[in-house]
């Protein structure tokens, strides 16, 4: 039986709602980032075509880890894992100084999307939400609010985006989003890159691990404590902290992963597999 035309529920948090949210964030990124090309942010940096391309790829990948995890675990666990590892959630593993400007931009669009997908939300937007609930990160986000013209209590609605998002969602949309994610990250081909061990690689080669996040490049492994300072400050997260203690974690540099050209995938994976063989021989000694 063909289930592609089966509608997905999107009225409560879950796969259907997250799918709707992912499409909304992508639409917001395309709209606001395209308008921002050539403009300077509040730090004086010009937003370039290259920045736009990075953000476009982020739109295609936004919350896809959460959607895929939600197909395997209870929703609250999937939500937790996503917020733990996604760099656009301030209550995740990384400190704010370990993030890059794209994380802060994606963070803004993540919050801005609420008024497009949640009928019970007021229409102010990300700026109004941060003023009310996340004053501790306002100074960090402000340069990018200014860049996108969203530094106002009510940023209004982009009606074409609202019309684009307000539609039924079907299994075909889910399959399309997953396929787009696979073709953007190509992680289903990059088994060598995925399998590399950060600590072992750094010990043997004494150089950055390919396609790993800069924050997880410590030679002895990268440890994170839960709850963190940012977790404790988050009204939406602190009451459902699921991990307590110190943990080692490894994160991808998703921007670099998505920048691998289709022609280079096999070569990148081959080099990683060669490293894996050397790591295996080292561990056998």
């Amino acid at each position: 039986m063909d289930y592609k035309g089966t509608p997905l529920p999107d009225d409560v948090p879950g796969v259907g709602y997250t799918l709707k949210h992912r499409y909304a964030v992508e639409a917001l990124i395309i709209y606001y980032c395209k308008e921002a090309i050539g403009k300077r942010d509040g730090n004086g940096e010009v937003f370039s075509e290259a920045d736009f391309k990075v953000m476009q790829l982020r739109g295609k990948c936004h919350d896809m880890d959460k959607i895929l995890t939600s197909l395997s675990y209870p929703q609250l666990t999937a939500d937790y894992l996503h917020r733990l590892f996604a760099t656009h959630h301030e209550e995740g593993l990384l400190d704010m100084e370990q993030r890059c400007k794209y994380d802060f931009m994606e963070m803004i669009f993540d919050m801005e999307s609420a008024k497009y997908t949640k009928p019970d939300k007021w229409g102010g937007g990300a700026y109004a939400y941060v003023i009310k609930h996340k004053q501790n990160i306002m100074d960090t986000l402000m340069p990018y609010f200014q860049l996108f013209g969203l530094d106002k209590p009510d940023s209004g609605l982009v009606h074409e985006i609202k019309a684009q998002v307000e539609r039924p969602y079907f299994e075909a949309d889910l399959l399309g989003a997953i396929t787009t994610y696979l073709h953007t990250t190509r992680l289903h081909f990059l088994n060598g890159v995925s399998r590399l061990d950060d600590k072992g690689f750094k010990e043997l080669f004494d150089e950055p691990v390919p396609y790993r996040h800069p924050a997880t490049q410590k030679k002895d492994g990268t440890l994170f404590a839960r709850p963190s300072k940012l977790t404790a400050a988050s009204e939406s997260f602190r009451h459902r902290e699921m991990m307590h203690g110190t943990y080692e974690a490894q994160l991808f540099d998703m921007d670099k992963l998505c920048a691998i050209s289709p022609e280079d995938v096999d070569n990148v994976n081959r080099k990683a597999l060669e490293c894996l063989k050397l790591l295996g021989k080292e561990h056998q000694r």
Side-chain angles (χ1 to χ4, degrees):
M1 185 180 292
D2 182 7
Y3 291 100
K4 291 184 180 179
T6 303
L8 299 176
D10 63 5
D11 53 337
V12 296
V15 171
Y17 171 76
T18 305
L19 185 66
K20 180 179 182 179
H21 164 74
R22 170 249 183 270
Y23 280 119
V25 170
E26 182 181 18
L28 287 165
I29 284 174
I30 292 171
Y31 179 86
Y32 283 102
C33 289
K34 191 173 184 179
E35 283 195 339
I37 295 173
K39 297 179 180 179
R40 293 185 182 274
D41 62 31
N43 293 320
E45 292 187 19
V46 176
F47 186 84
S48 66
E49 287 273 3
D51 293 325
F52 178 49
K53 289 178 181 178
V54 170
M55 289 304 296
Q56 278 185 300
L57 293 172
R58 286 205 169 208
K60 295 178 186 299
C61 296
H62 183 80
D63 280 11
M64 286 305 301
D65 62 310
K66 182 177 176 180
I67 286 177
L68 293 170
T69 308
S70 298
L71 298 174
S72 302
Y73 298 107
Q75 193 61 50
L76 288 179
T77 300
D79 290 349
Y80 179 84
L81 292 173
H82 168 65
R83 287 177 172 268
L84 192 67
F85 293 109
T87 55
H88 64 270
H89 282 290
E90 84 279 3
E91 63 268 46
L93 287 176
L94 302 185
D95 293 331
M96 292 296 277
E97 57 266 25
Q98 294 175 309
R99 321 283 178 115
C100 68
K101 64 181 181 181
Y102 304 120
D103 295 325
F104 304 134
M105 294 175 189
E106 189 176 355
M107 198 180 291
I108 286 172
F109 294 121
D110 192 31
M111 294 182 286
E112 184 73 10
S113 71
K115 62 188 179 186
Y116 292 88
T117 60
K118 296 179 180 178
D120 59 324
K121 291 289 179 181
W122 34 258
Y127 185 86
Y129 184 75
V130 172
I131 285 288
K132 187 174 181 180
H133 298 289
K134 298 178 183 287
Q135 278 280 355
N136 59 312
I137 62 172
M138 176 54 90
D139 288 346
T140 303
L141 298 182
M142 192 60 187
Y144 310 106
F145 277 126
Q146 293 170 339
L147 172 66
F148 300 119
L150 294 172
D151 53 332
K152 56 193 73 171
D154 189 345
S155 55
L157 279 174
V158 180
H159 294 289
E160 55 263 41
I161 293 178
K162 183 68 173 175
Q164 182 181 336
V165 170
E166 280 300 325
R167 63 174 178 85
Y169 288 83
F170 299 92
E171 191 180 58
D173 294 306
L174 174 61
L175 296 175
I178 292 174
T179 301
T180 296
Y181 179 70
L182 293 177
H183 291 171
T184 303
T185 66
R186 303 179 188 88
L187 277 169
H188 52 315
F189 294 124
L190 296 169
N191 57 315
V193 172
S194 296
R195 192 69 185 88
L196 290 175
D197 174 69
D198 289 18
K199 185 175 179 180
F201 189 96
K202 292 281 284 187
E203 287 177 347
L204 182 59
F205 299 105
D206 196 26
E207 61 182 54
V209 187
Y211 303 100
R212 289 299 195 272
H213 195 286
T216 60
Q217 292 285 3
K218 293 182 181 178
K219 191 169 183 178
D220 297 325
T222 306
L223 301 178
F224 297 94
R226 304 301 294 187
S228 68
K229 185 186 298 184
L230 286 169
T231 302
S234 171
E235 293 181 17
S236 61
F237 199 76
R238 63 188 175 200
H239 67 286
R240 44 192 181 92
E241 178 70 81
M242 293 182 179
M243 289 168 46
H244 298 267
T246 303
Y247 305 89
E248 183 183 358
Q250 302 176 10
L251 302 178
F252 281 128
D253 187 329
M254 293 298 292
D255 295 325
K256 284 188 177 179
L257 269 179
C258 294
I260 300 173
S261 70
E263 297 76 23
D264 286 340
V265 169
D266 289 340
N267 187 44
V268 165
N269 200 48
R270 178 182 55 77
K271 289 181 179 179
L273 289 170
E274 290 172 357
C275 291
L276 273 176
K277 289 180 182 179
L278 293 175
L279 284 166
K281 290 178 181 178
E282 184 69 18
H283 291 156
Q284 289 171 10
R285 292 179 183 175

